[in-house]
Every structure is written in C-alpha cells, then in structure tokens.
C-alpha cells in the first residue's frame, strides 16, 4: 500500500510536469491551429539556455529568468512571426512537416554546436526525503507537484477570470467574431505563444534534473505531452491537466506492477483506447465536420 | 486531347533516360554506392505507398515505418524458419495489407489529425513489440544473417544481382500504382482527399476507399520491408521507429505529395543527399531540418510544385502590373 502511494505521488508529480507541456501544446492548437511537433525541443532549448547561463557563473534562478526571456523572444515571438504566420492557410500537413523539420533541425543543431553528451542539471528542490504516515516522500516530487500545479491552476484562473484571458479564449473559439467584438486578435495570439514559451521553460526547469540535459531529451517529453493533450481533449485546456496526470500515474504504476518493458506502452494503450472511444478526448467537445 | 496519350513525349524521354541510368548504375558504382542505391529504391517503394495514403487519399498516416518493419520481420522470421523468400514476401505483403485494413477502421471514426496521432501510437506499439518479444523478433539484438533469395536458378546473393531484383520490383510496383491512379479508383481517392462528405454524396463509398487507401499503402510498405531485410541482411527495431515514419511523411511532402514522382525525389533528398554531404556531419541534419521548415513556408506543395508556384507568382505579378497600369491610365 505504501509503495502504491509513493508511486502514485511521484506519478502525479511527473504528470503535472507533462501537463504543462501538454497545456502549451493545446493552447497553440486552439489559438493558431498549430500542431507543434517540436514541443519537446521547445523544452530542450531552455534547459540548454539555463545550462549555458550557469556555465557563465549565473545562479540557477538568474539563468532561469534569462531562459524565460529568451524563450519568449525565440520560441514565442520569432516562432510565430517567421514560421507560423507565413504558413497561415497552407494546411495542417505542411505545418506538421515544418515543425517536424524544426524538431530535427533544433536537435541536430544542439548536438553539433554544443554536445551530444547528457549533462547533469541542478534541481531547485533538495533531494532529501521525509516520511509521512510510513510513506517516503521526496521534496523534489512535492516541489514539482506544487510548482506545476500552481502554474496550471494560475493559468486557468488567468484564462477564465481576467479580461485578457477571456479575450484569448474568444479568439481560440472564433477568430472572426472575436475580431468583430473589437478584440485585438493578433495580440491575443501572440500572448498564447508567449504563454507556451513560459510553460516550456518551466517544464525544462522541473524535468531536466531527472531527464538530464541532452539534445534528444525532447523526444520523450514531446511524446508524453502529445499523449496527455490528446487523452485529455485537444480542444480543452483543462483536459491537458487530466491527461498529463493520467499518463504520469499510469506509466509509474505500470512500470512497477506490470512490466517495465511495456511501461511506455500503457500510456499508449490508454491513448489508443481514448482515440477509438472518444476521439475528442476525455474532456473535449466534438468538432463538427465541414462540407 | 492530352489525356488520350498515355505519357507525353518529354515525359517518356526523361523516364527512358532515368531507367537507362539506373540499369547501368552497377557498372559505375562501388559496393557501398550500389547498396545505397538499392536502399533508396526500397525507400521509394515505401514512400510511394505513403503517397497514395497521404498525398492522393489525404489520410494522415504516421506508422509507415512500422508497416515496413512488419514486412521485414515477417520475411526474416519465415526465411529463418526455412521458407523461401518467394513465399515469405507475398505473406509479408498480405499481412501488411490486413494490418492496414485493421488500422483503417479507426480512420473511419477519427478523421483529420486524430488519425495521424492514432497511427503514431500504433507505430510505437509495434516497436515495443519488436523490442520485447524476444522469442519471435530477437529483441534488441534483432535477426542476423538473413539470406538473399534465388530467382529461377539465378543466385541473387551478389549486390549487383540483388540490385536488379530491387529495381525490377520497384518498376513493377510503380507501374501498378500508376495504373491504379489512372483507374476510377484513383479519382475516388482524390475525391476522398478533397472533400469526403461531398464524395460520399456523389456515390463514392468512402468506407471502402478509406480502408483500401490505407491497406494498399501499408502493403507497399510491406514490399519495401520484404526487400529491406535481405538487402541489409540484419534487422532490429530501430529503423522501424516513429522517427522514420515521420521521415517518410517528410519525404512525401518535401518531394511533392499527391505527385507521382514526389516520393522518388523526397527519398533521394532524405537518403542519398546526406551521404554526399557527410563532411557536414551532424550539421547536415540541422541544415536538412531548417531547410524543410523554409521549404514548407515558401513551397508548401513540395519541390515538384516549383514550376506551378513560379507560374502562379508570375501570373499574380502580371495581374498586379496590369492593375497598376490601368489605375495609372485612369488617373
């Protein structure tokens, strides 16, 4: 039982981190119709930015701030302006191939220009553990859970309660009527890209201590975020949280109780089951097909 | 009427020159060059199948490398069990075809991008299977020493002979695809891609055609896999992973999806070009990735759409020029 609780907790903590990357993924889809196959690399780049910052002697928090700013400029503004905007109206497949190209390009660039080796990355939480009712709990799990949970809930509140957040949702739902209502659509879409840029930087901060900073670390994170987003519901931002936690918990439990070899298969089976039974995700709403 | 002629003269001449070059290639290439050329043809077969599914029928399939793996493993396992290649490869093709039908069923439920996601998931599942079911697939060690077949008493063990086998099979399946696309089926696939609901209302049985485009695409991947195993002599899970499925999609789209020669060009760019740019090492993939991004921005129809894109932009420019002149005349 205590084993189970431990696995559950660390699963929820990992899941909350997946949820952040997944949330960014769904936000981009809703606001700009962009399926970002480079989301994993978007997590990898801030990790390396922080690593480079620290190699110049900056403390972790300062390099994190630098990474967030760079992330907003490069993965937010530049990505939107130079890749997403010019591709408006070219269709989903072209955008998918472009972000696939971006994913390969970024990975190989980091490998060629920086290093192919994995680099250790400091955790912002202490790696000590404490016991609560017989269950061993690590500070880093609790820290990651609280940090990621606050990020996701804070973002939910922002989207639902503030005028800017509601305007962003309006743009996601119907760009034309949002524009007719006087919402600055371009700015709202930019905000979405900026939020995604912040989310990936925070994801990098929390997940790199366990994954290590490596040029291909994004493969796994991107895939998990992708599963989480679809399981939860691609057009629902709350779904990403549910999907992320489900993926995190299930892969942890399956790794321990079923078979470590098929650990990655469990999220997959859940994912396939959801797609077959409820293609719009657990919390998603069906999309109408246009003639 | 243009359509009464099977191929234009220019097309025929180009094709004849290309085929002659391929036929004489072994005389000019060393062992490794010939191996690469054979591998390229194998990829062309697989990419042609994906082009049918993605480019002509408009269904997003992201488990093509997985299907190719099923073909390769089927042939390897059957040949190790003592069956002939000429029995093993049709079996591989049939298994891939049936798997394609089974994967096609979700395609009926989930259209658009969800289908891409589901097929991607299926590919991951296949890789897990290849890696973990050691009793059947050899696990991460794979299957070694896969023999090359004989054909009517001629040993195809030598690289040159096996190259001619691959070339012959590529040509056969290219012709079959061309015939399929010229048939009413080809039109039905295009109707499916352009507007599935409209196609249905004009009497196209979209269920049947969706399943068929998937299954035929998968069968082509099976052909490629069946040739891949004896060509490389050794198979393991890695070449059949999702990164190669994504690469297949890139081949089709970069070459020109929905264009017959798109996959031929796309496979060359993804496979042959890196070999000539080896001195760039890791930078090659970086350049390849960023070039793909740039191409999707400026030429989303693929390399083979260059001529039309150029004509379109010239027509636009001329129209603008005319407009300006008229406006100038009015003022």
């Amino acid at each position: 039982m205590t084993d189970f609780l431990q696995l559950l907790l660390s699963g929820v903590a990992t899941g909350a981190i997946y949820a952040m990357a997944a949330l960014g993924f769904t936000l981009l889809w809703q606001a700009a119709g962009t399926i970002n196959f480079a989301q994993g690399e978007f997590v990898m780049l801030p990790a390396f930015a922080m690593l480079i910052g620290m190699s110049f002697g900056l403390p972790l928090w300062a390099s994190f701030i630098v990474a967030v700013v760079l992330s907003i400029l490069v993965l937010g503004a530049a990505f939107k302006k130079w890749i997403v905007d010019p591709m408006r109206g070219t269709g989903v497949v072209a955008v998918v191939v472009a972000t696939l190209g971006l994913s390969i390009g970024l990975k190989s660039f980091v490998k060629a220009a920086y290093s192919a080796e994995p680099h250790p990355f400091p955790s912002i939480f202490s790696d000590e553990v404490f016991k609560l009712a017989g269950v061993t709990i690590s500070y880093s799990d609790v820290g990651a859970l609280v940090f990621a949970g606050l990020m996701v809930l804070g973002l939910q509140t922002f989207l639902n309660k503030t005028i800017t957040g509601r305007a962003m949702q309006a743009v996601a739902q119907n760009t034309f009527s949002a524009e007719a209502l006087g919402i600055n659509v371009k700015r709202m879409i930019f905000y979405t890209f900026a939020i995604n840029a912040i989310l990936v930087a925070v994801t990098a901060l929390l997940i790199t201590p366990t994954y290590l900073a490596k040029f291909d670390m994004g493969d796994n994170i991107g895939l998990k975020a992708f599963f989480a987003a679809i399981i939860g519901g691609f057009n629902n931002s709350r779904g990403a949280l549910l999907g992320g936690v489900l993926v995190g918990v299930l892969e942890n439990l399956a790794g321990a109780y079923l078979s470590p070899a098929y650990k990655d298969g469990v999220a997959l089976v859940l994912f396939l089951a959801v797609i077959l039974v409820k293609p719009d995700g657990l919390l998603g709403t069906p999309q109408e097909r246009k003639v | 009427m243009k359509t009464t002629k099977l191929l234009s003269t220019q097309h025929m001449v180009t094709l004849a020159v290309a085929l002659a070059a391929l036929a004489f290639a072994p005389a000019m290439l060393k062992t490794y060059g010939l191996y690469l050329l054979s591998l390229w043809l194998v990829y062309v077969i697989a990419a042609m199948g994906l082009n049918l599914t993605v480019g002509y029928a408009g269904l997003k399939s992201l488990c093509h490398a997985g299907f190719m793996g099923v073909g390769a493993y089927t042939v390897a396992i059957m040949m190790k069990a003592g069956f002939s290649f000429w029995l093993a490869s049709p079996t591989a093709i049939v298994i891939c075809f049936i798997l394609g039908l089974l994967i096609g069923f979700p395609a009926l439920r989930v259209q658009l991008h969800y289908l891409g996601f589901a097929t991607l998931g299926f590919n991951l599942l296949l890789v897990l299977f290849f890696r973990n079911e050691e009793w059947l697939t050899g696990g991460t060690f794979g299957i070694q020493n896969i023999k090359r077949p004989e054909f009517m008493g001629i040993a195809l063990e030598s690289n040159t002979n096996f190259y001619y086998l691959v070339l012959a099979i590529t040509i056969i399946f290219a012709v079959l695809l061309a015939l399929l696309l010229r048939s009413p089926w080809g039109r039905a696939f295009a109707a499916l891609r352009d507007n599935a609901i409209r196609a249905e209302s004009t009497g196209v049985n979209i269920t049947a055609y969706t399943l068929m485009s998937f299954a035929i695409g998968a069968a082509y991947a099976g052909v490629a896999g069946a040739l891949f195993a004896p060509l490389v002599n050794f198979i393991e899970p890695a070449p059949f992973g999702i990164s190669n499925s994504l690469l297949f999609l890139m081949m089709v789209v970069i070459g020109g999806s929905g264009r017959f020669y798109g996959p031929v060009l796309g496979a060359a760019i993804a496979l042959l070009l890196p070999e000539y740019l080896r001195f760039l090492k890791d930078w090659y993939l970086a350049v390849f990735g960023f070039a793909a991004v740039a191409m999707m921005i400026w030429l989303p129809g693929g390399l083979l759409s260059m001529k039309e894109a150029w004509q379109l932009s010239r027509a636009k420019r001329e129209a603008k020029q005319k407009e300006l002149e008229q406006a100038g005349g009015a003022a």
Side-chain angles (χ1 to χ4, degrees):
Chain A
M1 190 62 203
T2 52
D3 277 358
F4 176 78
L5 287 176
Q6 259 157 250
L7 289 167
L8 190 69
L9 183 78
S10 65
V12 173
T14 323
I17 302 176
Y18 293 156
M20 281 194 298
L23 188 57
F25 195 82
T26 56
L27 285 176
L28 285 198
W29 164 250
Q30 288 175 35
T34 310
I35 297 180
N36 184 14
F37 267 94
Q39 185 79 348
E41 280 62 42
F42 276 31
V43 174
M44 180 269 291
L45 283 184
F48 275 90
M50 284 185 262
L51 213 59
I52 293 170
M54 283 184 289
S55 73
F56 282 116
L58 287 178
L60 180 58
W61 62 267
S63 19
F64 174 65
I65 292 171
V66 173
V68 169
V69 173
L70 280 177
S71 181
I72 293 175
L73 288 177
V74 178
L75 306 177
F79 174 57
K80 176 180 180 295
K81 184 160 184 224
W82 289 328
I83 297 180
V84 176
D85 285 351
M87 293 197 69
R88 192 148 298 174
T90 48
V92 181
V93 175
V95 178
V96 165
V97 171
T99 55
L100 277 176
L102 191 64
S103 153
I104 295 176
L106 292 175
K107 251 190 305 216
S108 319
F109 178 78
V110 169
K111 188 181 174 195
Y114 195 81
S115 122
E117 304 298 315
H119 297 271
F121 193 89
S123 173
I124 47 170
F125 309 108
S126 89
D127 47 6
E128 284 167 36
V129 292
F130 63 93
K131 285 214 169 212
L132 189 75
V135 182
T136 314
I137 298 168
S138 74
Y139 282 104
S140 61
D141 276 354
V142 176
L145 178 58
V146 171
F147 202 144
L150 282 179
M151 276 297 289
V152 173
L153 293 177
L155 189 57
Q156 288 296 334
T157 319
F158 170 75
L159 287 176
N160 291 326
K161 304 286 180 205
T162 65
I163 293 183
T164 316
R166 295 184 76 95
M168 285 170 64
Q169 289 200 16
V171 171
Q173 275 161 19
N174 191 329
T175 316
F176 290 109
S177 20
E179 197 152 28
L181 289 169
I183 293 171
N184 188 339
V185 171
K186 278 187 183 156
R187 175 170 295 173
M188 294 306 142
I189 292 181
F190 169 70
Y191 285 162
T192 316
F193 279 77
I195 287 175
N196 182 48
I198 298 171
L199 281 170
V200 290
V202 179
T203 310
L205 179 71
L206 294 180
I207 209 150
T208 321
T210 31
Y211 271 51
L212 303 180
K214 198 178 171 207
F215 70 97
D216 62 356
M217 66 185 272
D219 289 352
N220 199 15
I221 300 165
L223 207 60
K224 296 289 158 58
F226 185 75
F227 283 169
I230 295 155
I231 290 171
F234 210 43
N235 49 19
N236 182 314
S237 38
R238 250 170 318 180
L241 183 61
L242 177 70
V245 171
L246 271 178
V247 170
V249 169
L250 277 177
E251 71 175 7
N252 234 6
L253 293 181
Y257 293 115
L258 292 174
S259 125
Y262 278 103
K263 180 181 168 186
D264 292 328
V266 172
L268 199 65
V269 168
L270 176 72
F271 164 82
L272 288 174
V274 167
I275 279 202
L276 288 180
V277 178
K278 210 168 175 303
D280 298 293
L282 295 175
L283 297 182
T285 42
Q287 283 175 325
E288 281 171 31
R289 274 201 261 158
K290 289 188 189 118
V291 177
Chain B
M1 277 262 293
K2 216 178 163 186
T3 45
T4 49
K5 224 170 161 187
L6 206 60
L7 294 172
S8 73
T9 321
Q10 193 195 359
H11 190 155
M12 292 257 259
V13 171
T14 321
L15 199 60
V17 170
L19 285 178
L22 284 173
F24 289 112
M28 285 170 281
L29 288 169
K30 291 191 190 115
T31 314
Y32 185 64
L34 198 58
Y35 164 79
L36 266 182
L37 204 59
S38 314
L39 196 62
W40 169 64
L41 289 173
V42 167
Y43 275 39
V44 167
I45 299 176
M48 280 194 304
L50 188 64
N51 193 25
L52 176 74
T53 315
V54 175
Y56 288 99
L59 300 164
K60 284 145 201 79
S61 164
L62 293 176
C63 70
H64 218 61
F67 285 134
M68 192 171 148
V70 171
Y73 273 102
T74 309
V75 164
I77 292 165
M78 281 183 72
M79 285 178 77
K80 283 282 164 190
F83 291 100
S84 132
F85 173 81
W86 301 104
L87 181 69
S89 51
T91 315
I93 298 168
V94 169
I95 290 180
C96 284
F97 184 83
I98 293 170
L99 257 164
L101 283 183
L102 293 176
I103 299 301
F105 273 112
L108 304 175
R109 272 190 64 82
V110 292
Q111 292 275 313
L112 301 168
H113 36 272
Y114 293 109
L115 178 64
F117 303 156
T119 49
L120 195 76
F122 182 71
N123 199 152
L124 282 168
L125 216 54
L126 282 177
V127 171
L128 281 177
F129 182 82
F130 295 151
R131 196 184 296 150
N132 293 326
E133 299 307 311
E134 277 179 23
W135 60 276
L136 187 68
T137 63
T140 41
F141 297 109
I143 299 173
Q144 290 170 8
N145 297 325
I146 302 157
K147 285 213 165 54
R148 289 180 182 171
E150 274 188 5
F151 180 63
M152 311 217 311
I154 309 164
L156 301 175
E157 193 56 43
S158 80
N159 290 327
T160 312
N161 285 356
F162 195 74
Y163 165 78
Y164 282 119
L165 172 75
V166 175
L167 182 61
I169 292 180
T170 311
I171 293 170
I172 292 171
F173 278 89
V175 170
L176 285 177
L177 186 68
L179 292 176
L180 178 75
L181 291 171
R182 279 174 181 275
S183 75
W185 281 47
R187 310 268 174 233
F189 286 144
L192 195 66
R193 168 192 62 194
D194 294 337
N195 192 326
I197 297 177
R198 194 185 294 158
E200 192 175 24
S201 64
T202 55
V204 177
N205 182 346
I206 58 170
T207 313
Y209 284 105
T210 309
L211 283 175
M212 274 303 154
S213 79
F214 238 95
I216 297 172
Y220 269 71
V223 177
L227 291 170
F228 181 87
L231 171 68
V232 186
N233 295 129
F234 162 69
I235 55 169
E236 41 125 12
F240 312 120
I242 53 166
S243 54
N244 269 356
S245 280
L246 297 172
L247 193 65
F248 273 126
L249 180 72
M250 292 181 79
M251 284 181 202
V252 169
V253 174
I254 285 175
S257 94
R259 286 162 199 275
F260 192 76
Y261 295 105
V264 180
L265 190 62
I269 289 171
L271 192 77
L272 297 182
L273 215 53
E275 292 298 327
Y276 289 101
L277 299 174
R278 272 216 161 162
F279 60 94
L280 289 173
K281 288 184 184 145
D282 289 335
W283 290 101
Y284 170 74
L285 267 183
V287 171
F288 172 76
F290 293 132
V293 179
M295 216 189 86
M296 285 301 104
I297 293 170
W298 287 303
L299 208 60
L303 280 175
L304 290 179
S305 72
M306 206 183 271
K307 198 173 153 199
E308 281 130 72
W310 187 70
Q311 281 169 344
L312 194 72
S313 81
R314 199 176 63 170
K316 262 190 195 159
R317 221 173 27 240
E318 275 170 4
K320 206 168 187 186
Q321 193 76 31
K322 226 176 211 173
E323 216 169 74
L324 277 175
E325 273 166 21
Q326 277 175 351

